[in-house]
Structure formats: structure tokens, C-alpha cells
């Protein structure tokens, strides 16, 4: 998420197998009655080499799918339940803006800024894309073709964001917090955030995601010396096992932007 006043690295980054695309489901506050596996998009935008398809999931929820122009059709979703009949969007033109209206929410495409924004049924702003933050690039993982996707959103200073799963870092409000959404023994990752502004956002993609990825990663260098070795009991696919663990020391350098200098950080 990005701050309207203070620049942040705030974006959601996702990698997934080529063809699965990237998407999000935006839900305004209230009970969501139903969702859908594959809904024909009610509005399709072509911008640059990307196609943006907007469809309705319920009377208060939108699904946005962003893919390269040559991408194959959407595959059935494992995260959205089917419904017999999706709601019908009302489309109106307002100069450079196109408004998609549902009974309890609205989605607006602004051709001038190239951004989508979302509103509740009364027309109050819930969420908007940060201009220039939508990126889809070719990449590889394990020699398999993938898409590396980044999307940023504007977040006012008084907003509170909750979700992304169960972590042991002690944070409840994750606005501006860097977090990697991976599944390990001590944490459960769920690509969903709930806002104090009255909306929920599902980052609908099966790849690994990073929330608020830092703009300046710190390169860590392992030192030659190693710590004391110790034995630990672990659980494996074949049962319990004892393994040797040894601590290591890493150093890295970072720059303090204001009132500081480059220093070594011992970790």
C-alpha cells in the first residue's frame, strides 16, 4: 500500500506461472452473498500491452484480472465459489472516466490516469490504484516461464490494514509493513487484507507474494566464523529426526536517508 503524502515502496508483488495472470477481488464492507468461478468480464480495458478485465462477483464485490494481451483465457478459480447468476453491472461514461455500478459498490476507470478506483454504494472512496504502480514482467522460476506482477495502492495516513495470515512478528496493523507471504512451520499466509476504511482486498494469485517490498534491499555477507553447533529435534515427512544447527554471523550496510550516514549493520 502506498501513502498519499509520504512515498513508500508499498506494493504487492506476486509471481505465478505464465498464463495464470494476476487479479484481485475488492469487496466493500458488509456480507458478501456469493462469488463466482468464471464470470464473463463486463468491462475490458486495453492499456499498453496489458488487458484489464473487470467483472462482478456479488452486489458489492468486483474482480479485476490483469494479463498480457496474448494470455490464454482465465482458468477456474479454486478460491471463489460459484453462483448461478452474477449481478449485472451498470456502465456510464463521464468524460475520461467509466463508472461500473453495483447496488452496493462502484468501480471507476480513469483513462487520463490509467487507474482504477473503488467506491461504496454512497459514492465514498474506498481504494484507488497508485498511478504508475501496475507492472507485469516476464520472469522465470526454476527455468519455468512466469509473470512477475506488482501493484500499488494509495493509502491515507489514518488507514489501518489487517490480515495476510498468522505471523509471529507481533504486528496487527500491517500498513507500510514489509512482509513476505510464504508458508512455513511458524506462519500461515493468506493474501487478504481488511481495511478500516470499509473494504477487503483478495490478491487472487497462487504465486509467492511480498507486501511493501523494500526499495533498497540490504545485501548480507556471511562471515567466515561460525557459531557453536547444537542438536535439535525436527519433524520430517518420514518422522522425527535429529539435525545439527549452527548459527552464522552476517554483516550488511544500509544508508539512513535523513540525519545519518552509511553504517555497518551486524545481524
Amino acid at each position: 500500500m502506498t501513502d498519499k503524502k509520504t512515498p513508500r515502496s508499498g506494493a504487492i508483488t506476486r509471481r505465478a506461472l505464465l498464463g495464470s495472470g494476476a487479479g484481485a477481488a475488492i469487496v466493500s464492507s458488509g456480507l458478501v452473498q456469493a462469488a463466482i468461478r468464471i464470470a464473463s468480464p463486463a468491462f475490458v480495458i486495453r492499456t499498453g500491452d496489458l488487458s484489464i478485465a473487470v467483472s462482478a462477483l456479488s452486489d458489492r464485490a468486483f474482480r479485476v484480472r490483469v494479463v498480457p494481451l496474448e494470455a490464454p483465457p482465465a482458468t477456474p478459480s479454486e478460491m471463489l465459489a460459484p453462483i448461478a447468476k452474477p449481478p449485472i453491472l451498470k456502465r456510464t461514461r463521464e468524460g475520461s472516466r467509466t463508472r461500473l455500478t453495483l447496488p452496493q459498490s462502484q468501480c471507476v476507470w480513469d483513462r487520463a490516469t490509467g487507474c482504477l478506483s473503488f467506491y461504496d454504494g454512497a459514492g465514498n472512496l474506498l481504494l484507488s490504484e497508485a498511478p504508475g504502480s501496475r507492472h507485469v514482467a516476464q520472469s522465470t522460476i526454476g527455468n519455468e516461464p512466469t509473470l512477475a506482477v506488482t501493484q500499488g495502492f494509495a493509502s491515507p495516513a489514518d488507514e489501518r490494514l489487517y490480515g495476510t495470515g498468522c505471523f509471529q512478528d507481533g504486528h496487527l496493523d500491517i500498513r507500510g509493513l514489509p512482509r513476505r507471504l510464504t508458508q512455513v512451520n511458524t506462519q500461515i499466509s493468506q493474501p487478504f487484507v481488511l481495511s478500516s476504511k470499509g473494504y477487503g482486498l483478495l490478491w487472487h494469485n497462487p504465486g509467492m507474494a511480498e507486501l511493501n517490498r523494500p526499495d533498497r534491499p540490504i545485501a548480507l555477507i556471511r562471515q567466515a566464523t561460525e557459531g557453536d553447533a547444537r542438536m535439535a529435534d525436527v519433524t520430517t515427512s518420514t518422522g522425527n529426526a535429529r539435525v545439527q544447527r549452527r548459527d552464522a554471523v552476517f554483516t550488511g550496510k544500509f544508508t539512513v536517508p535523513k540525519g545519518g550516514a552509511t553504517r555497518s549493520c551486524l545481524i
Side-chain angles (χ1 to χ4, degrees):
M1 302 295 177
T2 55
D3 193 325
K4 288 183 177 178
K5 297 181 180 180
T6 305
R8 293 180 180 269
S9 62
I12 305 178
T13 302
R14 197 72 136 165
R15 291 173 179 265
L17 292 180
L18 179 64
S20 63
I26 295 89
V27 185
S28 65
S29 60
L31 178 64
V32 178
Q33 298 297 332
I36 190 169
R37 285 183 179 270
I38 301 179
S40 299
F43 186 56
V44 178
I45 309 152
R46 291 193 175 189
T47 172
D49 57 354
L50 297 178
S51 174
I52 304 173
V54 182
S55 55
L57 299 184
S58 75
D59 64 356
R60 65 179 70 245
F62 292 92
R63 181 180 182 182
V64 179
R65 185 172 185 259
V66 181
V67 295
L69 292 177
E70 70 277 6
T75 56
S77 169
E78 297 298 330
M79 302 172 72
L80 302 176
I83 59 173
K85 185 179 180 180
I88 298 176
L89 288 170
K90 177 184 176 183
R91 186 192 307 185
T92 55
R93 291 288 299 273
E94 305 166 355
S96 65
R97 293 156 58 95
T98 300
R99 184 178 301 272
L100 306 175
T101 303
L102 290 169
Q104 301 297 329
S105 60
Q106 304 172 34
C107 172
V108 174
W109 163 253
D110 191 330
R111 188 173 64 253
T113 63
C115 293
L116 289 168
S117 54
F118 302 88
Y119 302 80
D120 64 16
N124 300 307
L125 179 64
L126 296 173
L127 177 68
S128 61
E129 293 181 297
S133 66
R134 186 192 311 114
H135 302 288
V136 179
Q138 299 290 338
S139 185
T140 58
I141 295 179
N143 297 323
E144 293 288 337
T146 68
L147 295 176
V149 182
T150 301
Q151 176 64 64
F153 301 93
S155 174
D158 63 344
E159 183 175 26
R160 300 293 178 261
L161 293 171
Y162 310 99
T164 70
C166 299
F167 291 79
Q168 299 192 27
D169 52 20
H171 291 278
L172 180 61
D173 178 9
I174 60 172
R175 180 183 180 275
L177 176 71
R179 178 174 279 179
R180 175 172 290 180
L181 304 187
T182 55
Q183 304 287 353
V184 297
N185 285 344
T186 58
Q187 67 188 38
I188 301 171
S189 299
Q190 296 176 340
F192 176 81
V193 295
L194 184 65
S195 169
S196 61
K197 295 297 183 180
Y199 70 87
L201 172 66
L202 170 67
W203 187 248
H204 188 280
N205 196 298
M208 185 190 76
E210 294 187 63
L211 179 67
N212 295 316
R213 186 177 185 180
D215 293 329
R216 297 179 297 275
I218 300 174
L220 300 178
I221 302 174
R222 182 168 180 168
Q223 303 304 295
T225 58
E226 293 185 342
D228 296 335
R230 64 182 186 275
M231 300 301 296
D233 294 314
V234 299
T235 302
T236 71
S237 59
T238 58
N240 295 335
R242 289 185 61 80
V243 298
Q244 185 184 81
R245 291 181 175 175
R246 190 183 296 271
D247 295 333
V249 177
F250 294 79
T251 60
K253 291 184 178 181
F254 64 93
T255 300
V256 179
K258 296 181 181 180
T262 301
R263 300 180 180 182
S264 295
C265 176
L266 184 64
I267 299 178

